[in-house]
Amino acid sequence: MTNLAFPSEEFPAQPAITLQIPGDWESVHAPGAVIAARRAADDGPFVPNVVVRIDRRPADFEITDALSELRAFAAERPQGTTSEPFNVELAGQAFVGCDLSWVDENAGTVMQAHLLGGIPSGPFVQLVQVTGSVGGARASADYPTVKTIMSSLRVAAPESGARKV
């Protein structure tokens, strides 16, 4: 009989993530997110937020696959658009960015900024995706704050030291 373990070479741990938020923001829990935050004083039709998700992908995964997923997401929304991809480096880690926007019947124009980075991890790539969202009348004013929060992202690869038991 073989014992399996997590974390291990076969089932690697997720990378460690840090994010800095302003004093008027709060941490929140969001489905599938490892970190999420929003502006605390808001309860309007759209609250600016930043969400970090980590998704385990096959080792041959390409960031272009995730960009295709974002384009499909935007195409399903009214007046959905995507920007051309761009490259960003945060604390030595390479990310590919892409901006989306669409019109929501309640919030008005919604804008999202996405940063995608792949961390090799055993037989997988850990896709780190940070998404900043703003919408409604304050969207343009909130966008720089969300981008500043996103630029504070730090990713540390998981320590390998794991072994099969």
Side-chain angles (χ1 to χ4, degrees), residues 66-88:
L67 291 170
S68 294
E69 293 167 9
L70 289 175
R71 283 188 204 95
F73 175 84
E76 294 172 355
R77 276 139 186 83
Q79 300 177 43
T81 63
T82 58
S83 73
E84 288 298 315
F86 53 91
N87 296 315
V88 175

Side-chain angles (χ1 to χ4, degrees), residues 14 17 28-37 50-55 129:
Q14 293 181 331
I17 303 293
V28 293
H29 295 277
V34 295
I35 293 178
V50 175
V51 176
V52 181
R53 291 184 167 85
I54 301 173
D55 188 22
Q129 180 172 355

Side-chain angles (χ1 to χ4, degrees), residues 18-135:
T18 60
L19 199 63
Q20 294 178 352
I21 60 173
D24 62 338
W25 280 55
E26 64 185 352
S27 61
V28 293
H29 295 277
V34 295
I35 293 178
R38 60 171 263 172
R39 190 170 51 220
D42 260 324
D43 61 356
F46 196 95
V47 179
N49 63 82
V50 175
V51 176
V52 181
R53 291 184 167 85
I54 301 173
D55 188 22
R56 187 178 292 161
R57 301 288 183 111
D60 62 351
F61 171 78
E62 303 267 339
I63 293 293
T64 54
D65 297 335
L67 291 170
S68 294
E69 293 167 9
L70 289 175
R71 283 188 204 95
F73 175 84
E76 294 172 355
R77 276 139 186 83
Q79 300 177 43
T81 63
T82 58
S83 73
E84 288 298 315
F86 53 91
N87 296 315
V88 175
E89 186 175 304
L90 300 175
Q93 173 69 41
F95 286 87
V96 175
C98 184
D99 296 332
L100 283 65
S101 69
W102 66 89
V103 176
D104 178 85
E105 67 181 51
N106 296 319
T109 299
V110 174
M111 297 185 297
Q112 281 189 340
H114 291 263
L115 294 176
L116 307 158
I119 309 294
S121 185
F124 303 101
V125 169
Q126 305 274 7
L127 175 64
V128 176
Q129 180 172 355
V130 59
T131 304
S133 302
V134 297

Side-chain angles (χ1 to χ4, degrees), residues 130-155:
V130 59
T131 304
S133 302
V134 297
R138 290 188 40 99
S140 294
D142 290 334
Y143 194 70
T145 300
V146 165
K147 292 290 274 190
T148 298
I149 293 168
M150 293 174 68
S151 69
S152 76
L153 179 75
R154 298 297 178 259
V155 179

